[in-house]
């Protein structure tokens, strides 16, 4: 494991998503890896931790998730803006070399046979909870978080530390048409 990547307790895993970042969804099935960007992902439950993500029917990564029954949600950084845009606007169905062309490097974490995208700030390994009606009607997928990790340079002690980290570590928030925001200034109530 990379020296700055540390496990996150599952009771704190929801904190990796509760600020609403754009995420990268990765999966592996039948010897094929896929990575796509998704703007609609959120924490759903605490115990066991669950999350939701919208995966359009037209995406190849969705088929990999459905085939394998597992996936990773990862939080890309501001330094990965172009990579995030590329994997969100290109299709593995049209470009079998999409990941290499987009600059995606993957690595292994834990025991899961999943592609984890290098350079992200956090990773949540998930087991698909099959809900065929939601998946077909709403493109809504539910995952149980089975393990989580974060880079301690930006997430430690159970919370994000964007205010202390290099701005390149800020999370991305997609608005529309290739326009993103980086997470802003920390505000604390009195």
């Amino acid at each position: 494991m990379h020296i700055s990547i540390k496990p996150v307790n599952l009771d704190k895993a929801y904190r990796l998503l509760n600020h609403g970042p754009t995420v990268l969804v990765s999966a592996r099935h039948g010897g094929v890896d896929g990575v796509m960007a998704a703007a609609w992902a959120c924490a759903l439950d605490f115990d066991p931790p669950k999350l939701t993500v919208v995966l359009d029917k037209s995406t190849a990564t969705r088929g990999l998730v459905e085939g394998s029954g597992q996936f990773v949600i990862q939080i890309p950084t501001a330094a990965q803006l172009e990579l995030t845009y590329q994997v969100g606007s290109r299709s593995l169905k049209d470009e079998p070399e999409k990941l290499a062309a987009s600059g995606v490097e993957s690595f292994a974490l834990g025991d899961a046979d999943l592609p984890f995208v290098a350079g992200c700030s956090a990773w949540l390994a998930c087991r698909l909870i099959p809900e065929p009606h939601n998946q077909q009607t709403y493109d809504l997928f539910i995952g149980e978080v089975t393990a989580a990790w974060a880079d301690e340079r930006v997430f430690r002690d159970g919370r994000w530390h964007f205010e202390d980290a290099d701005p390149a570590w800020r999370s991305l928030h997609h608005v529309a048409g290739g326009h993103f925001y980086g997470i802003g200034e920390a505000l604390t109530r009195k």
Side-chain angles (χ1 to χ4, degrees):
M1 186 181 304
H2 297 84
I3 196 160
S4 61
I5 297 173
K6 304 294 182 196
V8 173
N9 289 334
L10 288 180
D11 65 341
K12 302 284 190 263
Y14 74 95
R15 294 182 180 181
L16 298 172
L17 285 175
N18 70 349
H19 67 293
T22 294
V23 300
L24 301 180
V25 182
S26 63
R28 173 179 292 144
H29 183 65
V32 176
D33 288 358
V35 178
M36 63 175 276
W40 296 348
C42 71
L44 175 65
D45 202 353
F46 298 105
D47 188 20
K50 296 179 195 78
L51 56 80
T52 62
V53 62
V54 173
L55 303 174
D56 189 86
K57 289 171 187 64
S58 67
T59 65
T61 302
R62 175 182 170 145
L64 300 174
V65 170
E66 291 172 323
S68 69
Q70 58 183 353
F71 59 97
V72 180
I73 296 290
Q74 45 249 306
I75 313 302
T77 67
Q80 293 175 301
L81 174 65
E82 187 60 27
L83 179 148
T84 301
Y85 178 78
Q86 291 298 322
V87 299
S89 60
R90 299 170 104 156
S91 173
L92 190 61
K93 289 179 179 178
D94 300 329
E95 295 180 66
E97 299 301 317
K98 167 189 166 178
L99 300 186
S102 299
V104 173
E105 294 179 32
S106 62
F107 67 105
L109 266 176
D111 298 329
D113 180 28
L114 288 163
F116 291 80
V117 178
C120 292
S121 59
W123 303 263
L124 298 105
C126 299
R127 177 185 64 80
L128 178 64
I129 298 174
E131 290 288 345
H133 174 73
N134 287 342
Q135 291 167 207
Q136 291 305 310
T137 305
Y138 307 111
D139 296 330
L140 183 68
F141 286 70
I142 300 173
E144 178 182 338
V145 180
T146 58
W149 299 266
D151 194 302
E152 69 180 347
R153 290 174 283 187
V154 70
F155 187 93
R156 60 191 174 280
D157 306 319
R159 74 174 190 87
W160 290 105
H161 292 269
F162 294 112
E163 67 277 10
D164 300 331
D166 184 304
W169 282 100
R170 291 182 178 185
S171 60
L172 297 170
H173 303 262
H174 185 255
V175 181
H179 187 74
F180 293 82
Y181 284 97
I183 194 161
E185 160 186 13
L187 304 173
T188 305
R189 66 176 193 84
K190 294 182 182 193

